[in-house]
Amino acid sequence: MAMAVYQHHLLIFLYVTLLIPTNSHNITVILDAFPDYSVYNSYLSKTKVCHEINSHKTVTCLVLSNSAMSSLVADQSLTGIKNALRHLILLGYFDQQNLHNLTRGTTLTTTLYHTTGNASGNLGFVNITNLRGGRVGFASTQLFVCW
Ligand SMILES: *[C@@H]1O[C@H](CO)[C@@H](O)[C@H](O)[C@H]1NC(C)=O
Ligand SMILES: *[C@@H]1O[C@H](CO)[C@@H](O)[C@H](O)[C@H]1NC(C)=O
Ligand SMILES: *[C@@H]1O[C@H](CO)[C@@H](O)[C@H](O)[C@H]1NC(C)=O
Ligand SMILES: *[C@@H]1O[C@H](CO)[C@@H](O)[C@H](O)[C@H]1NC(C)=O
């Protein structure tokens, strides 16, 4: 159950290799062009998170490769996977230029989980921070992903 996942504060570390900031889109159609991200795309459909994404005008999707997805889905229920995916959808437009030009190198943003899940308090927020070596970290209560 989703609650169990959050009570454990399960922290998963993953690398994000594709960032899709978009203003108007059909996310599954965009991702169809990338076979390396087909597992992520199929889970967007299976969990119906694609409809939640498509209902927001501006989002940035942190897309996981097929191999990163295999770690994410291991030992998780479909509800757990759905909530994890919601944490990877930032409600805002973050392209490479915006990310490397954050005030003081850090910012907080909300995610799809914040609007659609059982989010309370700080749940559903992601802390974006510029790391050394040009990398960017995205930290939520459940996931730490690095781009
Ligand atoms: C997105 O594209 C898929 C596949 O073509 C389609 O089934 C779905 O209805 C589209 N969604 C929206 C919101 O247009
Ligand atoms: C970076 O941010 C500053 C302050 O918000 C802004 O004035 C400047 O235009 C931005 N630069 C780029 C390249 O986006
Ligand atoms: C994000 O987390 C870092 C490390 O914990 C912290 O230094 C930074 O102030 C946080 N950023 C915001 C906007 O809260
Ligand atoms: C919130 O949690 C309740 C009880 O666990 C569940 O029935 C409901 O579907 C959840 N709502 C959302 C939007 O996930």
Side-chain angles (χ1 to χ4, degrees):
M1 277 173 65
M3 279 312 289
V5 170
Y6 286 98
Q7 276 159 8
H8 276 103
H9 284 276
L10 176 70
L11 198 64
I12 304 176
F13 180 91
L14 295 164
Y15 280 104
V16 164
T17 40
L18 180 68
L19 201 69
I20 300 185
T22 174
N23 280 317
S24 71
H25 50 270
N26 180 328
I27 190 64
T28 52
V29 171
I30 294 173
L31 282 172
D32 276 344
F34 300 95
D36 288 349
Y37 302 96
S38 59
V39 175
Y40 181 97
N41 201 10
S42 74
Y43 274 101
L44 287 184
S45 296
K46 270 184 222 168
T47 57
K48 302 193 169 64
V49 168
C50 57
H51 301 304
E52 298 174 2
I53 294 172
N54 290 340
S55 73
H56 284 267
K57 186 161 162 28
T58 302
V59 298
T60 299
C61 300
L62 306 177
V63 186
L64 299 175
S65 67
N66 292 341
S67 60
M69 275 305 284
S70 62
S71 332
L72 183 78
V73 304
D75 303 322
Q76 283 220 67
S77 65
L78 198 60
T79 308
I81 296 165
K82 180 173 191 167
N83 285 327
L85 289 173
R86 284 163 160 173
H87 276 94
L88 294 171
I89 313 302
L90 313 181
L91 303 184
Y93 193 93
F94 297 99
D95 60 10
Q96 189 159 353
Q97 195 177 33
N98 293 343
L99 286 172
H100 288 120
N101 192 30
L102 302 173
T103 311
R104 288 187 290 278
T106 181
T107 193
L108 283 179
T109 186
T110 51
T111 65
L112 208 49
Y113 184 75
H114 187 72
T115 57
T116 54
N118 276 323
S120 60
N122 269 348
L123 291 182
F125 280 89
V126 163
N127 168 317
I128 307 177
T129 301
N130 276 310
L131 306 173
R132 277 186 295 175
R135 289 202 166 274
V136 181
F138 301 87
S140 65
T141 48
Q142 196 192 12
L143 297 165
F144 180 83
V145 299
C146 193
W147 176 68

